[in-house]
Amino acid sequence: MGITHIARKPDSRGFYSEPRYVVTPFALELSWLFERLRDAFYAEKRLDSCSKYEFFGRLANSANRFLQASTSPTPRLLCGYVLDEAFAIYNEMEEGTFECLLVAIGNQIVDDSRKRD
């Protein structure tokens, strides 16, 4: 998973899948938020070797959805949208409904297959 301010060329790594990226002019702000969310979720022991892929993947997916839908994104709006997703994940974990794959083939996560309205 990566956050960058410039588009990246696909990297043919052979066995490994291309990492999931968020390309945004607000890479510094978004990276800061991801690190704080990482620290908070790890501090409560909510992430492990399987759930971390779904967690960060969902945050990246939410950022990308926001950036694709927004006509005039700002760092505050982007981070707010991602923070909403983090709260949704936290609530799912509290309710015991958070889903993650044991093996992420091709960098796939559960969120990738969910229907969106």
Side-chain angles (χ1 to χ4, degrees), residues 7-13 18-19 21:
R8 297 179 46 92
K9 293 180 184 174
D11 181 17
S12 60
R13 297 173 172 230
E18 180 68 20
Y21 280 97

Side-chain angles (χ1 to χ4, degrees), residues 19-79:
R20 188 177 304 263
Y21 280 97
V22 178
V23 178
T24 174
F26 315 119
L28 292 176
E29 294 90 340
L30 189 60
S31 294
W32 178 88
L33 178 62
F34 269 56
E35 289 175 4
R36 294 310 156 292
L37 291 171
R38 175 202 64 201
D39 294 347
F41 276 71
Y42 272 114
E44 291 194 12
K45 299 185 180 2
R46 294 187 174 273
L47 299 177
D48 59 26
S49 60
C50 291
S51 61
K52 68 181 181 181
Y53 295 105
E54 188 71 29
F55 175 75
F56 290 112
R58 276 182 61 175
L59 296 181
N61 282 356
S62 69
N64 283 326
R65 281 192 299 272
F66 171 80
L67 291 166
Q68 289 171 359
S70 180
T71 56
S72 53
T74 66
R76 175 175 264 166
L77 290 173
L78 172 60
C79 289

